[in-house]
Amino acid sequence: MAVERTVPGGADRIDTTVAHPARRYNYWLGGKDNFQADRESGDAIAAAFPGVRLGAVENRRFLRRAVTHLVRDAGIDQFLDVGTGIPSADNTHEVAQAVDASTRVVYVDNDPIVLAHARALLNSASEGATAYLDADLRDPEGILAHPDLRATLDLSRPVALMLVAVLHFVRDDEDPYGLVRRLVDALPSGSYLVMSHVTADYFPPEQARAARGSQSFGPHGVMAFRTREEFTRFFDGLEILDPGVVSVAEWRSGDEPGVRPTAAEAGIHCAVARKP
C-alpha cells in the first residue's frame, strides 16, 4: 500500500481526495507516491483504456532515449522539463548527467507534492545543476521569468524543452499551441523540443470520437486525445528529427530489449525537433 504523506509548506494546496495526473502517473509506473483518489482514478482509466500502464512505461523509455541522444549526439547540456511528475527511474537529469555530468536541468511542476519529492530525491551531479520551479505550463511567462531558471540555464545557448506527456492535460480553449510556441520562441537557434502526447488514433471509431469530443475523463481529470495531425502542429517551424512523428514505442527503439509493443498498444505519439 502506498504511504500517504503530508508536505510542510505546501499542505494547504494538497487535496488528497482529488486525483492528480502526476500522482496517477506515478501509480501507473509502479510508484508509491500516490493517494487513494489517484489509485482509484488510475484504475478507472485503465479499465476503459487497458494499455495506459504500458503507455506510461514506454513513454518513460522514450524520454530516456531522447535525452541520451540530445546529450551524446547533439551536444545539449541544458534541459527545461515542464510537467516533471513525481520522481521515478530515469529522470531527465539522471539520464543526461550519466552522459555529461555538467548538464543543467530545470524541472517545472505545479503540484507541491511533486516539488517536495523532487527536492528530497533528485540530487544533481556536483558538476551540473538542478532546479525545481513551482510554476504552471499555462503561465509560460512565469516560467521564463523565474529567477531560478535564469540562475540555472543560459538562454543564450541551446536548451532542450521537454514537454513529455503533459500537453494532453491542456484543453483546446487554453491555447496549447500558443503556450508551446511562447516557450520555444524564448529559446535560441539550435534548441530542441521533445514531446509526447496521448492519442485516440488507434481506438475503435466510436470510442475515438467520444474521447476526442469530451477532452475529459469526467471526475478523473482532463485528457485531450489529439490526432497525429493535431500533435504534429506543435512542431510547426521546427525540423523534426528522424524517424519523425511516431509512437513512443518506436522512436529509435532498436536497442530496447524484448518484444516491442505496437503503436496501438502504446497509444502515445512522440517526436523530437530542432529549432533552426
Side-chain angles (χ1 to χ4, degrees):
M1 177 182 293
V3 178
E4 312 240 334
R5 299 176 174 87
T6 59
V7 182
D12 58 329
R13 289 174 49 204
I14 299 172
D15 185 350
T16 64
T17 67
V18 177
H20 188 281
R23 300 192 299 261
R24 187 169 56 216
Y25 187 67
N26 174 266
Y27 172 58
W28 286 332
L29 288 175
K32 298 181 179 179
D33 298 308
N34 47 75
F35 299 100
Q36 185 64 30
D38 307 307
R39 298 187 284 275
E40 291 176 354
S41 172
D43 289 343
I45 293 172
F49 307 105
V52 68
R53 287 188 174 90
L54 173 62
V57 171
E58 288 300 322
N59 185 70
R60 179 51 61 118
R61 289 174 174 170
F62 159 67
L63 180 149
R64 183 193 68 223
R65 296 192 303 271
V67 170
T68 298
H69 166 73
L70 291 178
V71 179
R72 183 188 62 203
D73 302 325
I76 295 296
D77 61 2
Q78 302 189 107
F79 288 81
L80 175 56
D81 188 335
V82 183
T84 304
I86 292 172
S88 56
D90 291 335
N91 298 289
T92 295
H93 82 283
E94 292 174 329
V95 176
Q97 292 179 353
V99 181
D100 179 355
S102 68
T103 301
R104 307 174 74 84
V105 179
V106 170
Y107 289 109
V108 179
D109 208 285
N110 64 349
D111 185 344
I113 235 177
V114 167
L115 297 167
H117 281 287
R119 292 187 175 106
L121 299 176
L122 301 185
N123 297 312
S124 173
S126 58
E127 300 92 334
T130 307
Y132 318 95
L133 310 187
D134 182 358
D136 196 307
L137 172 60
R138 297 169 183 82
D139 179 20
E141 300 297 342
I143 294 173
L144 295 167
H146 199 291
D148 289 347
L149 181 145
R150 298 287 175 166
T152 308
L153 303 182
D154 177 0
L155 297 188
S156 70
R157 297 175 49 246
V159 175
L161 172 61
M162 308 288 292
L163 296 174
V164 176
V166 64
L167 260 297
H168 45 243
F169 298 117
V170 179
R171 301 187 308 270
D172 287 343
D173 62 7
E174 294 175 308
D175 190 22
Y177 297 102
L179 297 175
V180 173
R181 179 53 51 195
R182 178 64 190 94
L183 291 171
V184 171
D185 283 349
L187 304 179
S189 174
S191 294
Y192 286 82
L193 172 61
V194 179
M195 280 189 62
S196 62
H197 196 298
V198 298
T199 184
D201 286 356
Y202 304 103
F203 291 177
E206 184 175 345
Q207 186 182 21
R209 283 193 295 272
R212 291 171 185 148
S214 68
Q215 291 203 358
S216 175
F217 279 125
H220 307 298
V222 169
M223 185 80 79
F225 290 87
R226 295 187 172 97
T227 66
R228 185 181 189 278
E229 291 72 24
E230 290 169 332
F231 175 69
T232 303
R233 279 183 55 199
F234 285 109
F235 298 91
D236 285 353
L238 305 179
E239 301 168 348
I240 299 179
L241 276 58
D242 290 336
V245 175
V246 295
S247 166
V248 290
E250 298 171 340
W251 197 90
R252 305 193 182 197
S253 60
D255 292 333
E256 292 283 357
V259 178
R260 304 298 301 136
T262 65
E265 289 170 330
I268 302 177
H269 293 315
C270 72
V272 178
R274 181 182 183 275
K275 181 176 179 179

